[in-house]
């Protein structure tokens, strides 16, 4: 039996064979995620989970079901939830940070295949933040054409004119391309946050010039622990980051963002396109090798988040967690936080899931 990620009815835990996991480190194998079998466990916090056979299912946005590549997968009959689904919030976040630490260089390589989607949405945001006369480009910001004369009574835009742009990026990763592009905006002052100390160290290298100039500042730790004054930010960016929080913590985070943004400020974020209180991908990007038994390992009792090797949750080494509402509910959560959704679109495929991308503007209360 083969199960593919995205079946809304299934409550099946699937373990990919070792050969499949070995291929996960290659970007080439992620070019078409719609046909890639991803091991996962879905949690709906209903009665204890049991294996439910399913022979044909498709990830959201992938169209009609197709026969997946020949592979040998097996469903777990365990009634116990995956350890990450029963872990405490603190243990879950420590696990995610430790996993990203172990995968930092590999994750940066893998995300290169998703750069077009990231750049598309960063461009949509920067167009709304740029002073009149500047243009957004794939690599950052470009000044206005020097041959164009300003209208009477006006002056040419200057990268130094106007107040600084105060931007927060949650889940900045290694700082490229996102954080670097944001720092290219006129007068930008970008705070990059990531729960992974390993990612932050890569970002310090990749953004050394920006840090020296004062256009970038890096803060490691839980995004929920960040503090900013009310109305002090012009924009908040979250690329594949808020999805790692449990759903109710996503709601709390959006509330914080709504308070931090000034009126007319912008949020650019993506949410999971799959509604679930918890999704777990086993041996994600072949993670957990150094931590012991990450790849293809059956999930046992988590003990509420007992610490395993390398700071990861015991029995879940190498496994990754996400959660999400339905696309409509995600948009509602944004608007409940005091922002008006201006653009919302299903776009980009990663780990078999299409994402909801949102551009929202802080409105007056």
């Amino acid at each position: 039996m083969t199960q593919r990620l995205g079946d809304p009815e299934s409550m099946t835990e699937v373990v990919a064979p070792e050969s499949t996991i070995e291929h996960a480190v290659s970007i080439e194998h992620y070019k078409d995620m719609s046909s890639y079998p991803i091991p996962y466990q879905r949690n709906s916090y209903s009665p204890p989970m049991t294996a439910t056979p399913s022979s044909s299912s498709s990830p959201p946005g992938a169209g009609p079901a197709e026969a997946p590549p020949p592979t040998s997968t097996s469903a777990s009959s365990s009634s116990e939830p995956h350890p990450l689904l029963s872990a405490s919030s603190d243990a879950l976040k420590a696990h995610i940070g430790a996993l990203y630490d172990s995968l930092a260089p590999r994750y940066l390589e893998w995300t290169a295949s998703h750069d077009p989607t990231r750049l598309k949405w960063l461009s949509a945001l920067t167009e709304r933040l740029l002073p009149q006369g500047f243009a957004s480009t794939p690599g950052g910001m470009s000044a206005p054409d020097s041959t164009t004369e300003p209208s009477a009574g006006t002056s040419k835009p200057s990268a130094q004119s106007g107040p600084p742009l105060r931007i927060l990026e949650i889940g900045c990763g290694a700082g490229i391309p996102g954080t670097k592009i944001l720092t290219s905006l006129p007068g930008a002052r970008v705070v990059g946050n990531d729960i992974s100390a390993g990612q932050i160290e890569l970002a310090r290298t990749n953004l050394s010039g920006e840090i020296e100039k004062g256009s970038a500042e890096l803060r490691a730790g839980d995004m929920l622990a960040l503090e900013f004054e009310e109305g002090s930010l012009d924009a908040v960016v979250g690329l594949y980051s808020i999805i790692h929080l449990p759903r109710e913590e996503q709601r709390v985070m959006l509330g914080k963002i709504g308070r931090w943004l000034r009126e007319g400020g912008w949020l650019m974020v993506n949410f999971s396109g799959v509604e679930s209180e918890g999704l777990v991908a086993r041996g994600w990007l072949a993670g957990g090798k150094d931590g012991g038994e990450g790849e293809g390992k059956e999930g046992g009792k988590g003990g509420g988040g007992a610490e395993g090797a390398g700071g990861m949750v015991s029995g879940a080494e190498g496994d990754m967690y996400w959660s999400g509402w339905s696309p409509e509910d995600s948009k509602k959560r944004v608007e409940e936080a005091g922002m008006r959704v201006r653009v919302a679109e299903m776009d980009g495929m990663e780990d078999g899931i299409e994402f909801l991308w949102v551009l929202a503007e802080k409105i007056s209360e």
Side-chain angles (χ1 to χ4, degrees):
M1 185 201 78
T2 300
Q3 173 68 42
R4 296 168 62 199
L5 181 62
D7 177 6
E9 302 300 325
S10 172
M11 295 172 61
T12 304
E13 181 179 3
V14 180
V15 179
E18 185 176 352
S19 59
T20 301
I21 295 298
E22 287 175 351
H23 284 209
V25 299
S26 170
I27 289 177
E28 292 302 317
H29 285 270
Y30 280 84
K31 290 295 177 65
D32 180 14
M33 293 303 304
S34 64
S35 62
Y36 195 89
I38 298 294
Y40 83 107
Q41 182 174 13
R42 184 173 186 271
N43 182 32
S44 63
Y45 290 103
S46 51
M49 199 171 301
T50 57
T52 303
S54 175
S55 58
S56 62
S57 60
S58 298
E66 302 173 358
T71 184
S72 173
T73 58
S74 59
S76 168
S77 60
S78 170
S79 62
E80 295 290 346
H82 187 282
L84 292 182
L85 301 178
S86 59
S88 68
S89 175
D90 288 345
L92 179 62
K93 292 172 187 176
H95 174 96
I96 292 171
L99 182 54
Y100 271 118
D101 286 348
S102 72
L103 292 171
R106 186 184 305 166
Y107 179 73
L108 179 59
E109 177 189 3
W110 179 62
T111 56
S113 64
H114 309 133
D115 279 354
T117 303
R118 296 168 188 257
L119 294 174
K120 168 186 170 181
W121 287 93
L122 282 167
S123 178
L125 171 67
T126 56
E127 286 172 0
R128 290 160 170 81
L129 297 176
L130 285 171
Q132 186 176 5
F134 283 81
S136 175
T137 69
M141 177 275 299
S142 65
D145 185 349
S146 59
T147 63
T148 303
E149 291 300 320
S151 304
T154 65
S155 59
K156 291 182 180 180
S158 166
Q160 303 301 319
S161 63
L165 273 175
R166 300 150 300 179
I167 303 172
L168 168 65
E169 184 181 11
I170 50 177
C172 67
I176 51 176
T179 321
K180 187 175 280 287
I181 289 174
L182 294 171
T183 61
S184 75
L185 295 170
R189 301 291 183 269
V190 181
V191 174
N193 160 258
D194 203 281
I195 199 166
S196 164
Q199 294 280 8
I200 288 291
E201 286 308 306
L202 284 181
R204 290 193 193 285
T205 299
N206 294 326
L207 301 171
S208 58
E210 288 78 6
I211 293 171
E212 185 175 349
K213 289 187 298 184
S215 59
E217 174 191 344
L218 299 175
R219 302 183 189 178
D222 183 354
M223 66 179 75
L224 282 169
L226 293 169
E227 294 184 6
F228 295 93
E229 292 183 5
E230 188 170 332
S232 65
L233 298 179
D234 295 284
V236 176
V237 176
L239 301 174
Y240 304 98
S241 56
I242 197 170
I243 57 176
H244 288 302
L245 295 175
R247 289 200 306 192
E248 285 309 306
E249 292 194 11
Q250 290 185 31
R251 188 198 297 264
V252 173
M253 189 67 208
L254 289 170
K256 287 176 176 283
I257 291 170
R259 293 190 294 274
W260 295 337
L261 284 173
R262 63 165 175 82
E263 184 178 337
W266 288 90
L267 167 68
M268 192 275 277
V269 66
N270 64 341
F271 297 96
S272 170
V274 172
E275 181 176 10
S276 175
E277 289 188 83
L279 280 171
V280 171
R282 291 184 168 279
W284 190 63
L285 298 189
K289 276 189 174 182
D290 297 333
E293 306 175 90
E295 299 177 280
K297 182 179 183 296
E298 291 283 350
K301 211 170 203 178
E307 186 172 328
M312 300 183 202
V313 171
S314 179
E317 292 86 351
D319 300 349
M320 184 55 86
Y321 170 93
W322 300 268
S323 75
W325 294 283
S326 68
E328 284 303 313
D329 283 343
S330 291
K331 289 186 283 186
K332 288 179 183 177
R333 300 293 89 81
V334 171
E335 300 217 334
E336 288 169 358
M339 294 166 278
R340 182 69 50 81
V341 174
R342 301 300 187 188
V343 183
E345 181 181 324
M346 299 299 293
D347 192 13
M349 186 73 71
E350 183 174 328
D351 284 351
I353 299 177
E354 194 173 27
F355 287 83
L356 172 69
W357 292 79
V358 169
L359 267 169
E361 185 180 10
K362 174 66 179 293
I363 58 177
S364 59
E365 298 181 359

